[in-house]
Amino acid sequence: MRKFFTTDLGRLRLVGFLEGTSLLILIILGMPLKYYFGSPELVKLLGPIHGGLFLLFLLQTFHFSIENSWSFKERTWKVALASVFPFGTFYIDSTILRKL
């Protein structure tokens, strides 16, 4: 667990997990609560948090790719694009990041 806080790769994986989890909570819980039940509180609370985690994930991705001389064509764009899709960060973590 300590490696998630002490290494660049660990921090990237941790932020990816948090970003992916916040996106799923927004989609699975927040959107139905807002549009079907008229209760937008969860979206108002979690929306900015997810936005911050999204930006932090992108910054962490570019930082890690520069520090480790990743090729943009081979890895960086895949990792950055993964944060846009539900389950994307989890997929990238299991296929690319965990192997490093």
Side-chain angles (χ1 to χ4, degrees), residues 21-48 50 86:
T21 303
S22 68
L23 177 61
L24 291 178
I25 292 171
L26 276 173
I27 291 172
I28 294 171
L29 292 175
M31 300 309 271
L33 283 173
K34 180 177 180 178
Y35 291 108
Y36 293 120
F37 300 107
S39 179
E41 289 81 18
L42 183 62
V43 174
K44 286 182 181 180
L45 174 70
L46 195 57
H50 169 70

Side-chain angles (χ1 to χ4, degrees), residues 56-73:
L56 186 60
F57 181 74
L58 289 178
L59 289 172
Q60 194 74 19
T61 297
F62 290 121
H63 170 74
F64 187 79
S65 69
I66 291 168
E67 292 291 321
N68 292 283
S69 302
W70 274 5
S71 169
F72 186 82
K73 289 182 178 181

